[in-house]
Amino acid sequence: MNNLVLAIDGPSGSGKSSTAKALAIRANWSYLDTGALYRAVTFLGLKHSVQDEAELFSLLANASIEFTCSPKDPRVFLDGEDISEAIRFQRINESVSVYSAMPAIRKYLLDLQQTYIETAPVGIVVEGRDIGTVVAPNAPLKIYLHADIQSRTLRRENESIEKIPAVDISNSLSARDAMDSSRVLSPLAKAEDAAEIDSTRLSLQEVVDQIWKWMQQRNLLGLPTIAVIGRPNVGKSTLVNRMIGRREAIVEDTPGVTRDRVKYEAEWNGRRFFLVDTGGWEVKPEGISEKITAGAEAAIAESDLIMFVIDAQIGALDEDQSLVTLLRKSNKKVILVANKIDNAADESDAYALWNLGLGEPRFVSALHGRGSGDLLDLLISQLPEVGSQPADDGYRRVALVGRPNVGKSSLLNVLAGSSRVLVDDAEGTTRDAVDELIDFGGSTWRFIDTAGIRRRAHQASGTDYYASLRTAIALERAEVALVILDASQIMTEQDIRIVSMAEEVGKALVIVMNKWDLVDEERQIVLDREIERQLERYPWAQRVNLSAKTGWHRDRLAPALRTALSSWEKRIPTAKLNAFLGELVGANPPPVRSGKQPKIKFATQAGVCPPKFVVFATGFLEDAYRRFIERRLREEFGFAGSPIEVAVKIKERD
């Protein structure tokens, strides 16, 4: 189900519809009125004078109910006929509870509602009954909106397209409440984790503002995105580093260092947004430059605002004019930035950039910081309140790490079913860490594709040094490391070093033997020996043999990731842990040291992610005995795919 779901429940007349539409418009989300679907079924039943459940279900099977999820103009269609107004009459209100109580009808509409939710492009506000408990029980934010009967009656009276006495509306609402409350699974039930709002004395704007604040606190609202576009070597990555306040984007004097489009989160004066650094755009790209240019154009399409950067020391070239034409076709707001402006003389020369027709050029020196604050003030003033990308979407984070050219990006693309990241035969194509959301194996995962690590960070220089640091940052951000090895090649010391990096930072671990389509019987025999010798320290790691090129065995990857993450988060009850430890020590007591045998008193699990255990003993425990405890812990409780830590704390004898 779509992760960005706001579920609003409550009785009729509490203001759910108005609130939901206002929130959906403000967030640029879809909107679903589940009550309208029940009213459409009621309209169908009354039209054919049908109250029998089986007969009505038969009618539904041959009918078509559609709901347009635009919050500005939501419409309901029955067999192509717009019935949006017809379902608002009082005769529908009085009968809807009868039809909505039919189990087969509820199941039919539940499937329909969840289809609308799952296909929402960004997020969706769903209102009605049973939303937080049945329709969208996993919604990250649930609201229960209610009001007293007088306020609800007044709202229904104002919304009604018929002239109905207030007393009749009040009686109808009370009767419907009573009928719904009497059912075994009442649609008026409030989800346990729902936030409650009494709208009796609140205006619509006050209700909307309160829920909006909760949406912000839950990081449900998308952050606006700024794409940084320009020719190669105009200083885009230097400017990105200046704006995010840290040296994260790779910077060198050599053109073409940035290749993939890389997203960074930034903040200025309390406004958070995404900056997308892109590779240099070229008019007639060839080879790998063709893919880099395509990535830059994709960033333009996905952005809310474009920052077009020009090297003011060189001025506008014919290529810049071609890029201006492309930017105009995008219909996006463009801010023209003249970089490398270090003094007033540079400014006077750069005014010629007005001729590009993109408005006033903004002068900055990304290297020295001149004008960067004014530029940030301008950018956030032009950004929409929300964008299309969530700040923290809660998806499981997977870092793809390995040596260059082992197939990390190819694996990412085959899992995505499309070319999400740059792939080329040239070694070291990926240089920055690139985030991608990918649906596979029944879940959505956030994959972080990293640059290949050639050597240890202290031995690397230039681009390799920065790429190594980005990989280390990616591992810190991730929950599970997917270490990619080339099964067709001899395992190297650097392969083992990369595996140990993942273990050292305490991440869940899955080792992928890629390029299995190139492994013959002779190589497989040799590989088994290499694994036994080189990976003897990691028998607990989940291992998957696959081919990114052909997609062979890619279906085994999701179960391996889930197992590793489950182990990484596993907690053993203290009583169960000490019962196990008592049996272990009874059968295999610690070895005697200096004529004394340490006594193990008890143990506790100090943490998870990864699991950490502390053993309290009266004396020092040999490293071999600690490894023995770890091995037996794994045999007893599993922990496949996760490192575990066993520490010993010495307590003096009583």
Side-chain angles (χ1 to χ4, degrees):
M1 184 171 289
N2 195 308
N3 190 58
L4 297 179
V5 180
L6 172 61
I8 303 181
D9 281 295
S12 298
S14 57
K16 301 189 303 297
S17 179
S18 300
T19 301
K21 284 186 282 190
L23 287 165
I25 291 170
R26 188 170 175 181
N28 198 27
W29 284 10
S30 301
Y31 162 73
L32 177 60
D33 177 4
T34 61
L37 300 178
Y38 280 104
R39 291 168 179 271
V41 172
T42 304
F43 179 88
L44 179 66
L46 294 178
K47 179 180 179 180
H48 293 276
S49 302
V50 172
Q51 288 194 338
D52 178 74
E53 182 176 358
E55 193 174 350
L56 179 60
F57 190 77
S58 178
L59 279 175
L60 268 179
N62 297 301
S64 170
I65 296 177
E66 297 179 22
F67 186 85
T68 60
C69 293
S70 167
K72 294 182 179 179
D73 187 28
R75 315 297 295 177
V76 190
F77 295 88
L78 176 62
D79 292 330
E81 177 189 355
D82 188 344
I83 59 170
S84 305
E85 302 299 328
I87 61 174
R88 298 297 171 184
F89 285 96
Q90 185 64 13
R91 67 188 186 92
I92 303 294
N93 292 336
E94 292 172 349
S95 302
V96 68
S97 288
V98 175
Y99 290 98
S100 64
M102 299 177 179
I105 304 305
R106 292 175 63 79
K107 175 64 171 62
Y108 174 88
L109 291 181
L110 175 62
D111 292 341
L112 182 59
Q113 292 157 12
Q114 291 182 338
T115 298
Y116 281 118
I117 294 172
E118 290 165 0
T119 55
V122 179
I124 187 166
V125 184
V126 189
E127 59 96 353
R129 300 173 179 221
D130 292 333
I131 310 302
T133 53
V134 178
V135 178
N138 296 321
L141 180 58
K142 303 171 187 175
I143 304 297
Y144 190 81
L145 191 62
H146 62 92
D148 63 27
I149 193 68
Q150 290 82 8
S151 299
R152 293 164 56 199
T153 299
L154 180 60
R155 287 169 186 156
R156 274 285 181 257
E157 190 176 10
N158 291 334
E159 294 170 359
S160 178
I161 59 177
E162 303 172 273
K163 292 184 178 181
I164 302 172
V167 64
D168 291 341
I169 295 176
S170 178
N171 290 337
S172 176
L173 290 173
S174 298
R176 187 175 180 187
D177 288 349
M179 183 173 183
D180 288 341
S181 300
S182 66
R183 286 157 51 183
V184 176
L185 297 175
S186 172
L188 295 179
K190 180 172 77 74
E192 291 183 1
D193 55 345
E196 191 171 341
I197 297 181
D198 184 345
S199 64
T200 301
R201 293 176 177 81
L202 298 178
S203 67
L204 172 62
Q205 191 59 51
E206 288 173 326
V207 174
V208 169
D209 287 345
Q210 178 58 65
I211 298 176
W212 189 263
K213 186 183 298 182
W214 287 333
M215 293 172 74
Q216 290 177 317
Q217 291 171 350
R218 303 286 180 90
N219 284 327
L220 293 182
L221 295 172
L223 296 184
T225 300
I226 302 173
V228 185
I229 305 295
R231 290 184 295 102
N233 214 37
V234 296
K236 297 186 296 298
S237 295
T238 304
L239 185 57
V240 166
N241 281 339
R242 175 67 61 182
M243 295 174 74
I244 64 177
R246 57 191 184 274
R247 293 184 66 184
E248 192 160 336
I250 300 173
V251 175
E252 277 189 8
D253 290 336
T254 309
V257 170
T258 302
R259 293 179 172 179
D260 282 296
R261 57 190 190 276
V262 190
K263 182 184 297 181
Y264 304 99
E265 188 174 329
E267 183 174 351
W268 181 256
N269 286 344
R271 286 294 309 275
R272 295 163 63 207
F273 54 92
F274 286 126
L275 273 175
V276 180
D277 190 15
T278 66
W281 185 89
E282 299 180 32
V283 177
K284 297 179 180 179
E286 296 180 357
I288 195 170
S289 296
E290 186 175 350
K291 299 174 183 177
I292 296 172
T293 297
E297 293 175 1
I300 293 173
E302 296 168 0
S303 66
D304 299 298
L305 179 67
I306 298 168
M307 190 163 62
F308 178 24
V309 183
I310 289 181
D311 184 342
Q313 298 296 326
I314 297 175
L317 304 180
D318 291 342
E319 288 187 358
D320 290 311
Q321 191 62 59
S322 298
L323 184 51
V324 168
T325 302
L326 178 67
L327 294 175
R328 284 191 177 130
K329 289 179 180 178
S330 73
N331 293 320
K332 302 288 180 71
K333 174 72 176 178
V334 179
I335 303 295
L336 177 61
V337 177
N339 190 24
K340 306 182 183 181
I341 301 288
D342 295 317
N343 50 54
D346 291 339
E347 285 188 11
S348 62
D349 293 338
Y351 277 109
L353 295 176
W354 273 96
N355 294 331
L356 288 173
L358 292 177
E360 181 183 354
R362 307 294 170 166
F363 303 141
V364 299
S365 171
L367 186 61
H368 302 112
R370 187 176 189 264
S372 59
D374 292 338
L375 175 60
L376 281 164
D377 287 339
L378 174 66
L379 290 171
I380 63 173
S381 71
Q382 301 294 321
L383 286 174
E385 186 176 14
V386 295
S388 60
Q389 300 297 320
D392 182 11
D393 45 35
Y395 297 121
R396 307 314 298 257
R397 300 182 299 279
V398 185
L400 278 77
V401 294
R403 288 187 296 110
N405 218 31
V406 294
K408 299 183 295 298
S409 298
S410 295
L411 177 59
L412 192 67
N413 286 338
V414 79
L415 292 174
S418 62
S419 296
R420 296 287 189 91
V421 292
L422 204 60
V423 174
D424 196 87
D425 291 336
E427 186 177 281
T429 300
T430 302
R431 291 179 171 176
D432 292 280
V434 181
D435 284 24
E436 287 291 343
L437 284 178
I438 293 179
D439 294 311
F440 84 100
S443 301
T444 302
W445 309 79
R446 179 170 292 282
F447 277 87
I448 310 167
D449 186 21
T450 65
I453 305 175
R454 289 181 173 85
R455 52 184 69 87
R456 295 172 185 264
H458 70 272
Q459 297 172 336
S461 61
T463 300
D464 286 342
Y465 171 75
Y466 283 105
S468 180
L469 289 184
R470 300 304 173 270
T471 299
I473 292 171
L475 278 172
E476 288 290 345
R477 288 177 52 212
E479 297 170 293
V480 56
L482 204 61
V483 180
I484 316 296
L485 306 181
D486 185 343
S488 67
Q489 300 294 322
I490 295 174
M491 203 176 299
T492 68
E493 179 187 352
Q494 189 61 12
D495 287 324
I496 310 309
R497 172 59 188 155
I498 293 168
V499 174
S500 69
M501 282 178 63
E503 183 197 30
E504 287 167 8
V505 294
K507 303 302 180 181
L509 177 62
V510 176
I511 298 175
V512 171
M513 293 295 181
N514 190 25
K515 305 189 182 181
W516 201 260
D517 53 315
L518 303 179
V519 176
D520 55 23
E521 291 185 13
E522 184 178 346
R523 171 59 189 155
Q524 189 166 342
I525 293 171
V526 175
L527 180 60
D528 288 341
R529 292 173 184 165
E530 290 177 7
I531 292 172
E532 185 178 350
R533 183 175 64 256
Q534 304 273 41
L535 299 177
E536 61 178 350
R537 288 180 50 200
Y538 313 100
W540 46 266
Q542 293 285 97
R543 196 164 77 240
V544 178
N545 303 330
L546 57 75
S547 170
K549 183 177 181 180
T550 66
W552 181 77
H553 274 182
R554 65 179 177 180
D555 58 316
R556 297 187 178 183
L557 195 53
L561 289 170
R562 290 193 183 97
T563 298
L565 285 167
S566 176
S567 298
W568 194 59
E569 298 171 334
K570 182 179 291 186
R571 182 176 292 278
I572 309 300
T574 301
K576 194 172 182 179
L577 177 63
N578 282 286
F580 153 78
L581 193 60
E583 293 180 7
L584 175 67
V585 173
N588 300 276
V592 175
R593 180 182 173 86
S594 301
K596 295 182 180 179
Q597 185 178 55
K599 179 182 179 183
I600 294 179
K601 306 183 77 171
F602 65 95
T604 186
Q605 184 171 353
V608 293
C609 303
K612 304 176 183 69
F613 299 93
V614 179
V615 177
F616 293 86
T618 58
F620 180 82
L621 296 181
E622 302 283 354
D623 288 344
Y625 195 75
R626 298 187 194 197
R627 290 194 296 271
F628 168 69
I629 293 175
E630 178 182 337
R631 186 173 71 253
R632 291 299 304 275
L633 275 169
R634 291 188 179 281
E635 291 173 359
E636 180 71 17
F637 301 112
F639 298 109
S642 173
I644 63 174
E645 300 175 14
V646 178
V648 176
K649 189 169 183 179
I650 299 176
K651 291 176 67 76
E652 296 296 330
R653 295 178 184 270
D654 295 333

